[in-house]
Amino acid sequence: MEPPTIGSMEPQPAPDAAARSSGREAPPSPPRRRFLRFLVGFSAASTLGMIIAPIVGFLIPPRTQGSGGGRVVAGTLEDIPANTGKVVAMGSAPVIVVNTEAGVKAYSAVCTHLGCIVGFDTTVRHIVCPCHDGHFNPASGAVLSGPPPAPLPPIAVALEDDEIVLVPSGG
Amino acid sequence: MNAPAETVRGGVAGWFEERLRISGLLAALLHVRIPVSAQTYYLGGISLFLFGVQLISGTLLALYYKPTADAAYESVKYITSVVDFGWLIRSVHHWGATLMIASVGLHMGRIFVQAAYKYPRELTWMFGVLLFAVTILFGFTGYLLPWDQKAYWATTVGTEIAGGVPLIGDALLNLLRGGADVSDATLNRFFGMHVLVLPLLLAGLVVVHLTIVHQLGLASPRHPEPRPVRRGGPAQPVDEPLKPFFPHYILDELIAWFVVLAALVVLASVLPAGLEDEADPLITPQHVKPEWYFLSVYQLLKIVPRTIGIVAPMIAVAILLLLPFLDRNPAVAKRRRPLALSAAVLAVIGLVALTVWGAQS
């Protein structure tokens, strides 16, 4: 017996009746029903995919190119005298520039604990996070006390005449 | 005698049913009286579907859109050209608005032709007219948001029309614009109305509209609904074959939604929403025209005195709203409603003629 044609308008004998007439046992699930179930599931899944894919794509924000692609002048040595510090913007990233006994240093100003912006405390001469009182060594960026789990990432800095220039990595 | 044991369902459905006892409510919601003779063309459901599409696409757009005069245009440009699928979401929103206005209009036409606004469905019709008005307001307020030349000047003219309403015009103009001119304040107001006020209003009206539809069922286009006899109980509905709402009607409706979704994606892909130059309050572009659904009013204002051009559409809306009380003829069969149908045909011809004239002038 030929299998029933999908979508045929001709009435097909019921599979069990057909099986009985040919002396065979009825199949557990008629192929047409299984195929239709697959078709419905496939249609539903592909429709959902068609709707969800653009929505997810839309929700993912486009990659923004950092505006700090070039070198940034953080100020002069007069702006940041010895044992002081200043937070400046390098593109969209805050950077703390400190003038220490070991020279002018710069670090990412984003605290490695929970993302607050650190500042320079002239009293204790530490880089301090105001949120949870994390202290960093201004000469190395290392954690001195408090909850920060890692040192502040260093930023390359150069002195050109009197100007303090921040050099982005790779720049 | 013992009460029959409750049927206990297993699985996830059973778990929820034990805690929510919701199957009775769902069963009641899924039972709507639908006479086989009521050809709905699924237009009401399609309008609802398109509202859902607008809600989702609009929410997505709001994640990137900036509603200030300085930033709106650039943010729309950013959505269209930088954000992944931004052009698609924006175009779907644009075409969804057009299709929604068209489907609500056609739905009202279907109700009119089949006389489904008559007793006892007067309130269903009136809430439907309010839904149509809110849909048009959606179009009007959303049109300004891209802050391009077309948006700016169409809104300038549109709010000027509102300003021409007798007695309250000046106050209305000031209220709409948030000042004397279309400005940053207008953009803020329109954005607030478009994303907060109107969606809440529309959702509330939809709930009322659908509740009444659910309670009364669909009208038969063949027999008027019988009124209750004096001192008797409620009227018995005319005995005619019914179509099961679930799953038959719902499945048909789903297929219609699929077709509309396909049309929406094709339209958005083939004719994506454009963006003109940024709004410039000092330069009015040549031949500035509104969206197609305002073209008839636009053309009317060109050919009749200003006051008439403003008051006439208001009277038309009032007639639409009060139609069930103005049309006292109880008959529903088309051949017994020659006056109403002739008037409607003339109104539609006039509307289409003004629209085409407005588009070509």
Side-chain angles (χ1 to χ4, degrees):
Chain A
M1 189 188 91
E2 284 187 15
T5 318
I6 302 302
S8 165
M9 297 302 288
E10 294 294 324
Q12 299 290 335
D16 53 349
R20 270 198 304 276
S21 66
S22 62
R24 287 183 284 115
E25 280 189 23
S29 176
R32 180 187 296 194
R33 176 162 293 183
R34 258 188 296 156
F35 180 73
L36 285 176
R37 270 196 194 142
F38 167 76
L39 211 60
V40 168
F42 181 77
S43 303
S46 51
T47 302
L48 274 178
M50 185 190 88
I51 293 169
I52 289 171
I55 290 178
V56 171
F58 185 85
L59 286 173
I60 297 169
R63 283 194 195 135
T64 47
Q65 296 212 329
S67 50
R71 294 142 63 90
V72 174
V73 176
T76 62
L77 285 173
E78 275 182 26
D79 298 330
I80 311 171
N83 295 318
T84 62
K86 181 183 172 188
V87 175
V88 297
M90 190 165 73
S92 56
V95 171
I96 184 161
V97 182
V98 286
N99 192 347
T100 68
E101 287 162 4
V104 177
K105 305 276 182 180
Y107 307 96
S108 162
V110 180
C111 179
T112 53
H113 180 217
L114 287 172
C116 296
I117 303 301
V118 297
F120 190 81
D121 187 328
T122 50
T123 315
V124 293
R125 294 184 183 175
H126 289 168
I127 295 172
V128 177
C129 176
C131 287
H132 300 95
D133 201 32
H135 285 235
F136 298 90
N137 185 339
S140 64
V143 179
L144 294 172
S145 64
L152 293 172
I155 306 285
V157 63
L159 277 175
E160 293 180 0
D161 298 328
D162 196 27
E163 284 186 334
I164 301 167
V165 179
L166 302 176
V167 185
S169 56
Chain B
M1 194 179 83
N2 288 335
E6 278 185 52
T7 312
V8 179
R9 280 190 299 174
V12 179
W15 191 91
F16 277 104
E17 176 55 24
E18 278 179 48
R19 282 147 187 89
L20 300 174
R21 306 279 163 98
I22 205 167
S23 61
L25 177 66
L26 284 178
L29 284 177
L30 289 176
H31 179 78
V32 180
R33 188 176 179 275
I34 301 179
V36 170
S37 57
Q39 291 296 326
T40 66
Y41 307 106
Y42 314 107
L43 289 162
I46 287 173
S47 306
L48 185 66
F49 170 70
L50 287 167
F51 177 49
V53 169
Q54 294 303 86
L55 217 57
I56 294 169
S57 56
T59 306
L60 290 171
L61 290 174
L63 299 181
Y64 290 98
Y65 178 73
K66 296 175 181 167
T68 65
D70 288 339
Y73 182 78
E74 284 303 322
S75 69
V76 174
K77 220 158 113 176
Y78 181 77
I79 290 169
T80 313
S81 54
V82 179
V83 182
D84 283 343
F85 297 106
W87 64 272
L88 179 66
I89 304 283
R90 181 168 168 243
S91 299
V92 162
H93 197 69
H94 170 84
W95 280 107
T98 279
L99 292 185
M100 187 174 165
I101 287 172
S103 72
V104 173
L106 288 172
H107 180 52
M108 289 174 72
R110 195 281 291 180
I111 297 291
F112 181 86
V113 171
Q114 295 188 357
Y117 56 92
K118 297 191 175 184
Y119 173 85
R121 296 181 177 78
E122 298 93 334
L123 287 174
T124 326
W125 169 267
M126 291 176 85
F127 277 101
V129 173
L130 293 180
L131 280 168
F132 179 66
V134 173
T135 308
I136 292 283
L137 280 177
F138 258 118
F140 183 60
T141 51
Y143 206 64
L144 177 65
L145 303 188
W147 201 250
D148 61 358
Q149 279 286 70
K150 193 175 180 182
Y152 184 89
W153 291 102
T155 305
T156 301
V157 175
T159 46
E160 200 68 44
I161 292 173
V165 174
L167 302 175
I168 57 163
D170 285 342
L172 192 60
L173 180 71
N174 204 37
L175 195 70
L176 276 173
R177 289 185 176 173
D181 305 307
V182 175
S183 65
D184 201 35
T186 321
L187 185 61
N188 284 177
R189 281 177 182 233
F190 275 41
F191 179 71
M193 289 215 289
H194 192 77
V195 305
L196 278 174
V197 180
L198 295 177
L200 287 173
L201 192 59
L202 194 82
L205 289 170
V206 164
V207 168
V208 176
H209 188 72
L210 290 184
T211 304
I212 309 176
V213 170
H214 179 266
Q215 293 305 101
L216 297 179
L218 299 192
S220 162
R222 292 187 183 156
H223 310 284
E225 195 95 18
R227 291 176 184 262
V229 288
R230 273 182 206 171
R231 278 182 279 169
Q236 291 302 311
V238 175
D239 188 23
E240 65 175 301
L242 299 177
K243 185 179 189 175
F245 178 67
F246 182 82
H248 296 61
Y249 188 83
I250 291 279
L251 272 178
D252 289 353
E253 186 79 56
L254 273 179
I255 292 167
W257 290 8
F258 259 91
V259 172
V260 171
L261 183 65
L264 198 56
V265 172
V266 169
L267 282 169
S269 305
V270 177
L271 299 166
L275 192 63
E276 295 195 354
D277 290 338
E278 189 170 4
D280 186 344
L282 299 180
I283 300 172
T284 305
Q286 294 287 312
H287 309 299
V288 60
K289 278 184 190 173
E291 271 295 275
W292 63 271
Y293 40 87
F294 288 125
L295 278 173
S296 54
V297 178
Y298 160 84
Q299 185 60 30
L300 189 68
L301 278 161
K302 279 168 79 171
I303 56 175
V304 298
R306 187 164 175 252
T307 312
I308 296 176
I310 292 167
V311 173
M314 292 167 63
I315 293 176
V317 172
I319 289 174
L320 267 184
L321 194 67
L322 299 173
L323 181 69
F325 307 103
L326 298 174
D327 179 7
R328 311 293 295 174
N329 177 4
V332 296
K334 291 185 196 71
R335 64 178 188 284
R336 292 187 181 173
R337 302 166 56 221
L339 189 64
L341 287 173
S342 308
V345 167
L346 279 178
V348 170
I349 288 174
L351 203 65
V352 171
L354 280 172
T355 302
V356 173
W357 193 3
Q360 291 180 342
S361 62

